[in-house]
Amino acid sequence: MKRAWIGAILGYLLAATANAADVKDVRLWRAPDHTRVVFDLTGPAEHKLMVLSNPSRIVLDVENTRLRTSFSDLTLDDTPIRQIRSGVRAGDDLRVVLDISTAVDPRSFTLKANDQASDRLVLDLYDKGAKSARAPVKKTVSSDSKRDIVIAIDAGHGGEDPGALGPGKRREKDIVLAIAKDLNALFKADRGFAPTLIRTGDYYVSLKGRRDLARKRQADLFVSIHADAFTRKEANGASVYALSTRGATSTAARYLAQRENAADLVGGVSLSDKDDMLAGVLADLSMTSTLDASLQVGTEVLGHMDNIARLHKKNVEQAGFAVLKSPDIPSILVETGFISNPGEAKKLATRSYQKKMARAIHAGIKNYLVAHPPSGTLVAWNKAQGGTEYTIARGDTLSAIAQRFNISLASLKTANGIDGSKIMVGQKLTIPAT
C-alpha cells in the first residue's frame, strides 16, 4: 500500500514535469507604434496578464513554466520598457514583470507550434497616442495642388519572421529591407513621386496590416519585395507576380503564394487580425482596371529586371497572394531571386546588386506611371503639357522608347536636342505630348 502511494506521487511528479514548458528564448522588436516581446516555449502554456500602477508594471504569470534564458541581452532602448525581471510563483509558475516608463496598451496571446516556429507567447505593448500611427495624407507639390504619386514599398517579413533562409545565415527580411530602402531613396529623388515604406525596420507587420497601411497612406501603387526559397536549391531567377482570383498560373507560383500567405503564422497574428475580406470583393476586382494595371506595371518591372538578372519566368505570373488583395490599388510582388540558390543568395547579399535590383524596379514602375499617371498628379499634368520625363535604363534604345510612348523617333530627338542615336543609362529624356 505504501509502495503504491509512493508510486502514485512519483507518477504525478513525473507527469507534472513532462507537461511543464520552458522559455527557451526571449526576443524583442520595436515597431513605429508598438513594442513586441516574444517568448519562445518548448510547449503550450496558459498565462494571465495584469497591469499594475505606482509604479507602472506589466505582469505575466505563465503556468507551470520555467525560464531557461536571460533578459540581459535584450535591447530596451527606444522602448517603453525600463527593465524586465522574473521570479517563481506558486511553486511552478513563472512570473515576468516589465517595468514601464510610458503609458502603453498591452495585449497578449499565444501561438501554437507550426512547421516554422515553436509554441510562443506574444506580448504587444501599443503606444498610447502615438503620432506615428497617424495616416499621412497625400502631399501636394505645387500651389495649384497637383499631388505626388504615392508608392507603397513593402519589404516582406521582418521581426520574428525572418522569411526564407539562405546559405551563410542570410535572411530574406534583411535583404529585402535593404532593397526597399534603396527603392525608396530613388523615388524620393524624383519630382512628382512620394514613396512610403510599409516597414522601416526589423519588425513584423501582418499581411492585412500591410494592405491597410497602403490604403491609409492613399497609395497609388503597392510593391512588395521578396527573395524566397524553393524546394530545390537549383531553382533560380527573378519573378514578378500579380494577384490571381482563379488559381495560380504555375506550380511554383502556387507554392510561393502558400509560403508567403503562411507568414502570419510565423509573424504572430492574433485572432482579431485575421483577414475577413469577402469573396465578392475579389470578384469585383476582376471587373475593375486594378488587376490589369498590376499586370502592366509588372511587365514593365520584369522587362528592366531582365537587364540585370536571369528571369525565372518571362511573363508576370499570378497567384492568390494575400498581401496583394487590395481591390483599389494596383499591386505587384517582386521576387528578386531565390535565396535558397547559393549563387543568387551570394549576389543578393551584396550592396551593389541590391542597388542594381532597386534601380531596375524603380525604372519599371516609373516608366509605367509616367506613361499612365493617375489623374490630378503633377506627372499627369506634365504629360498633358508635353513635359513627361523618362530616365534611360540599361538596354533602352531611342526607337524603343519612342514606340513605348507612341511618338515618332524624330519628335523624341527634337524634343531632347539629339542628333544621333547615342544615349546613356541614367540620362533623362523629355517625352513630347502625342
Side-chain angles (χ1 to χ4, degrees):
M1 188 74 177
K2 186 176 182 181
R3 287 181 179 179
W5 180 71
I6 294 174
I9 293 177
L10 288 174
Y12 172 80
L13 292 174
L14 288 171
T17 302
N19 293 330
D22 290 342
V23 177
K24 60 181 181 179
D25 195 13
V26 181
R27 296 166 293 139
L28 181 147
W29 287 273
R30 176 63 184 166
D33 63 344
H34 72 281
T35 300
R36 168 164 289 188
V37 185
V38 179
F39 301 86
D40 291 315
L41 305 171
T42 58
E46 298 292 330
H47 77 283
K48 293 180 181 178
L49 173 69
M50 293 183 291
V51 179
L52 305 177
S53 57
N54 298 320
S56 297
R57 307 178 312 282
I58 306 294
V59 177
L60 281 173
D61 283 334
V62 192
E63 293 183 7
N64 202 19
T65 299
R66 297 161 299 192
L67 183 67
R68 300 297 191 190
T69 186
S70 171
F71 301 122
S72 59
D73 293 334
L74 296 179
T75 301
L76 303 181
D77 299 342
D78 194 35
T79 76
I81 306 170
R82 287 194 296 108
Q83 68 172 336
I84 306 177
R85 46 202 171 88
S86 66
V88 178
R89 178 181 176 275
D92 298 313
D93 297 346
L94 171 67
R95 169 163 285 187
V96 178
V97 180
L98 297 89
D99 295 315
I100 303 300
S101 57
T102 57
V104 294
D105 178 16
R107 303 176 196 176
S108 64
F109 55 93
T110 56
L111 292 167
K112 293 182 179 179
N114 55 61
D115 292 340
Q116 296 171 281
S118 64
D119 287 275
R120 284 160 292 160
L121 168 58
V122 180
L123 174 65
D124 284 332
L125 304 176
Y126 286 90
D127 305 336
K128 287 192 175 180
K131 293 182 179 180
S132 59
R134 297 177 184 174
V137 297
K138 288 182 177 179
K139 67 177 183 179
T140 57
V141 293
S142 62
S143 58
D144 48 358
S145 298
K146 297 179 184 68
R147 68 172 182 84
D148 285 348
I149 297 175
V150 180
I151 301 170
I153 304 171
D154 172 45
H157 307 280
E160 62 266 44
D161 174 22
L165 302 175
K169 297 182 179 180
R170 297 181 176 99
R171 303 182 300 185
E172 180 183 3
K173 68 173 184 177
D174 301 326
I175 289 171
V176 299
L177 181 60
I179 295 173
K181 287 182 175 180
D182 290 336
L183 182 60
N184 185 68
L186 289 170
F187 273 114
K188 267 191 173 181
D190 290 330
R191 188 164 182 259
F193 292 85
T196 177
L197 287 168
I198 297 297
R199 176 168 73 87
T200 59
D202 187 15
Y203 54 89
Y204 187 76
V205 183
S206 71
L207 299 176
K208 181 177 181 295
R210 295 167 194 257
R211 302 195 313 256
D212 290 345
L213 283 173
R215 185 170 292 107
K216 286 178 182 177
R217 297 174 187 180
Q218 303 176 59
D220 296 289
L221 180 75
F222 177 91
V223 52
S224 190
I225 302 174
H226 293 259
D228 219 321
F230 197 58
T231 52
R232 295 180 296 104
K233 68 178 182 180
E234 294 82 12
N236 65 91
S239 308
V240 178
Y241 294 86
L243 179 66
S244 171
T245 60
R246 298 182 179 179
T249 52
S250 71
T251 301
R254 184 182 303 108
Y255 172 81
L256 292 176
Q258 289 171 346
R259 274 184 58 91
E260 297 301 344
N261 292 347
D264 279 348
L265 295 176
V266 182
V269 176
S270 64
L271 293 175
S272 61
D273 294 327
K274 284 192 180 294
D275 186 0
D276 58 357
M277 182 172 286
L278 299 176
V281 175
L282 292 180
D284 290 343
L285 182 63
S286 63
M287 294 184 287
T288 68
S289 61
T290 305
L291 185 53
D292 183 53
S294 301
L295 292 169
Q296 288 185 50
V297 70
T299 300
E300 282 283 353
V301 171
L302 203 60
H304 283 80
M305 289 170 64
D306 194 17
N307 296 323
I308 66 161
R310 180 189 179 279
L311 298 184
H312 186 67
K313 294 284 187 179
K314 294 291 184 181
N315 300 314
V316 177
E317 292 205 81
Q318 293 178 258
F321 290 93
V323 78
L324 301 182
K325 292 180 180 178
S326 291
D328 53 342
I329 306 174
S331 305
I332 60 171
L333 186 146
V334 178
E335 289 287 355
T336 55
F338 285 89
I339 200 173
S340 52
N341 180 285
E344 287 198 342
K346 187 175 181 180
K347 285 197 300 184
L348 285 166
T350 65
R351 288 297 294 131
S352 59
Y353 191 75
Q354 290 167 2
K355 289 179 181 293
K356 283 183 182 179
M357 186 59 67
R359 286 195 293 268
I361 299 170
H362 169 261
I365 292 175
K366 186 174 178 182
N367 283 1
Y368 172 80
L369 290 173
V370 165
H372 308 88
S375 60
T377 62
L378 179 66
V379 177
W381 183 84
N382 280 339
K383 182 180 181 183
Q385 301 302 310
T388 298
E389 188 178 78
Y390 174 79
T391 303
I392 295 172
R394 190 178 302 277
D396 275 342
T397 63
L398 286 174
S399 58
I401 295 170
Q403 185 177 12
R404 180 181 301 155
F405 289 95
N406 196 28
I407 58 175
S408 68
L409 179 59
S411 64
L412 179 62
K413 287 185 174 183
T414 300
N416 292 277
I418 297 174
D419 294 327
S421 58
K422 185 178 180 180
I423 55 177
M424 296 184 297
V425 174
Q427 179 182 346
K428 295 184 185 297
L429 297 180
T430 296
I431 308 299
T434 56

